[in-house]
Short mmCIF file of all heavy atoms in Angstrom, two decimals:
data_model
loop_
_atom_site.label_atom_id
_atom_site.label_comp_id
_atom_site.label_asym_id
_atom_site.label_seq_id
_atom_site.Cartn_x
_atom_site.Cartn_y
_atom_site.Cartn_z
N LEU A 222 14.50 8.66 -8.96
CA LEU A 222 13.70 7.47 -9.21
C LEU A 222 14.33 6.21 -8.61
O LEU A 222 13.67 5.17 -8.54
CB LEU A 222 13.52 7.27 -10.71
CG LEU A 222 12.50 8.19 -11.39
CD1 LEU A 222 12.58 8.03 -12.90
CD2 LEU A 222 11.10 7.88 -10.91
N GLU A 223 15.57 6.28 -8.19
CA GLU A 223 16.26 5.09 -7.68
C GLU A 223 15.50 4.49 -6.51
O GLU A 223 15.25 3.29 -6.45
CB GLU A 223 17.69 5.44 -7.25
CG GLU A 223 18.62 5.75 -8.40
CD GLU A 223 19.15 4.50 -9.09
OE1 GLU A 223 18.80 3.39 -8.68
OE2 GLU A 223 19.92 4.66 -10.05
N ARG A 224 15.13 5.35 -5.55
CA ARG A 224 14.44 4.84 -4.36
C ARG A 224 13.08 4.25 -4.73
O ARG A 224 12.68 3.21 -4.21
CB ARG A 224 14.25 5.97 -3.34
CG ARG A 224 13.53 5.53 -2.07
CD ARG A 224 13.41 6.67 -1.07
NE ARG A 224 12.63 6.27 0.09
CZ ARG A 224 11.31 6.34 0.15
NH1 ARG A 224 10.63 6.80 -0.88
NH2 ARG A 224 10.65 5.97 1.24
N LEU A 225 12.37 4.93 -5.65
CA LEU A 225 11.07 4.42 -6.09
C LEU A 225 11.20 3.03 -6.69
O LEU A 225 10.44 2.12 -6.34
CB LEU A 225 10.46 5.37 -7.13
CG LEU A 225 9.25 4.84 -7.91
CD1 LEU A 225 8.08 4.64 -6.98
CD2 LEU A 225 8.90 5.78 -9.04
N ILE A 226 12.17 2.83 -7.56
CA ILE A 226 12.35 1.54 -8.21
C ILE A 226 12.76 0.48 -7.19
O ILE A 226 12.24 -0.64 -7.18
CB ILE A 226 13.41 1.63 -9.33
CG1 ILE A 226 13.01 2.70 -10.35
CG2 ILE A 226 13.59 0.29 -10.00
CD1 ILE A 226 11.67 2.50 -10.98
N ASP A 227 13.69 0.84 -6.30
CA ASP A 227 14.15 -0.12 -5.29
C ASP A 227 13.02 -0.54 -4.36
O ASP A 227 12.89 -1.71 -4.00
CB ASP A 227 15.30 0.47 -4.47
CG ASP A 227 16.57 0.63 -5.29
OD1 ASP A 227 16.65 -0.02 -6.36
OD2 ASP A 227 17.45 1.40 -4.88
N ASP A 228 12.17 0.43 -3.96
CA ASP A 228 11.05 0.11 -3.07
C ASP A 228 10.03 -0.77 -3.76
O ASP A 228 9.46 -1.68 -3.15
CB ASP A 228 10.36 1.41 -2.60
CG ASP A 228 11.19 2.17 -1.58
OD1 ASP A 228 12.18 1.60 -1.11
OD2 ASP A 228 10.84 3.32 -1.27
N THR A 229 9.81 -0.51 -5.05
CA THR A 229 8.79 -1.26 -5.77
C THR A 229 9.23 -2.68 -6.06
O THR A 229 8.44 -3.62 -6.02
CB THR A 229 8.45 -0.55 -7.10
OG1 THR A 229 8.04 0.79 -6.81
CG2 THR A 229 7.33 -1.27 -7.82
N PHE A 230 10.53 -2.86 -6.34
CA PHE A 230 10.99 -4.16 -6.79
C PHE A 230 11.97 -4.81 -5.83
O PHE A 230 12.73 -5.68 -6.20
CB PHE A 230 11.60 -4.05 -8.18
CG PHE A 230 10.61 -3.53 -9.17
CD1 PHE A 230 10.64 -2.20 -9.57
CD2 PHE A 230 9.63 -4.35 -9.67
CE1 PHE A 230 9.70 -1.71 -10.46
CE2 PHE A 230 8.68 -3.86 -10.56
CZ PHE A 230 8.72 -2.55 -10.96
N GLU A 231 11.93 -4.39 -4.56
CA GLU A 231 12.73 -5.05 -3.53
C GLU A 231 12.26 -6.50 -3.43
O GLU A 231 11.06 -6.78 -3.49
CB GLU A 231 12.52 -4.34 -2.19
CG GLU A 231 13.32 -4.90 -1.05
CD GLU A 231 13.06 -4.13 0.23
OE1 GLU A 231 12.58 -2.99 0.15
OE2 GLU A 231 13.32 -4.69 1.31
N PRO A 232 13.17 -7.47 -3.30
CA PRO A 232 12.75 -8.86 -3.22
C PRO A 232 11.69 -9.07 -2.14
O PRO A 232 11.78 -8.53 -1.05
CB PRO A 232 14.06 -9.59 -2.85
CG PRO A 232 15.13 -8.72 -3.40
CD PRO A 232 14.63 -7.31 -3.23
N VAL A 233 10.68 -9.83 -2.47
CA VAL A 233 9.56 -10.06 -1.58
C VAL A 233 9.97 -10.98 -0.44
O VAL A 233 10.50 -12.06 -0.66
CB VAL A 233 8.37 -10.70 -2.36
CG1 VAL A 233 7.22 -10.99 -1.41
CG2 VAL A 233 7.93 -9.78 -3.49
N THR A 234 9.75 -10.53 0.81
CA THR A 234 10.00 -11.40 1.95
C THR A 234 8.80 -12.33 2.12
O THR A 234 7.69 -12.04 1.69
CB THR A 234 10.17 -10.58 3.23
OG1 THR A 234 9.00 -9.77 3.43
CG2 THR A 234 11.39 -9.67 3.13
N ASN A 235 9.04 -13.44 2.75
CA ASN A 235 7.97 -14.41 2.97
C ASN A 235 7.16 -13.97 4.18
O ASN A 235 7.44 -14.34 5.32
CB ASN A 235 8.57 -15.80 3.20
CG ASN A 235 7.51 -16.89 3.20
OD1 ASN A 235 6.35 -16.64 3.52
ND2 ASN A 235 7.91 -18.08 2.81
N TRP A 236 6.16 -13.12 3.94
CA TRP A 236 5.39 -12.58 5.04
C TRP A 236 4.61 -13.65 5.79
O TRP A 236 4.39 -13.53 7.00
CB TRP A 236 4.45 -11.47 4.55
CG TRP A 236 3.35 -11.91 3.61
CD1 TRP A 236 3.40 -11.91 2.25
CD2 TRP A 236 2.05 -12.40 3.96
NE1 TRP A 236 2.20 -12.36 1.73
CE2 TRP A 236 1.36 -12.66 2.75
CE3 TRP A 236 1.39 -12.63 5.17
CZ2 TRP A 236 0.05 -13.15 2.73
CZ3 TRP A 236 0.09 -13.11 5.16
CH2 TRP A 236 -0.57 -13.37 3.95
N ARG A 237 4.20 -14.70 5.07
CA ARG A 237 3.48 -15.78 5.73
C ARG A 237 4.36 -16.46 6.78
O ARG A 237 3.93 -16.74 7.90
CB ARG A 237 2.99 -16.79 4.69
CG ARG A 237 1.94 -16.23 3.75
CD ARG A 237 1.60 -17.23 2.64
NE ARG A 237 0.49 -16.74 1.81
CZ ARG A 237 0.64 -15.91 0.78
NH1 ARG A 237 1.84 -15.46 0.46
NH2 ARG A 237 -0.41 -15.51 0.09
#
Side-chain angles (χ1 to χ4, degrees):
L222 284 171
E223 290 280 0
R224 180 178 176 274
L225 167 66
I226 303 303
D227 291 342
D228 286 350
T229 304
F230 300 101
E231 182 180 340
V233 178
T234 57
N235 190 333
W236 65 267
R237 294 174 174 84

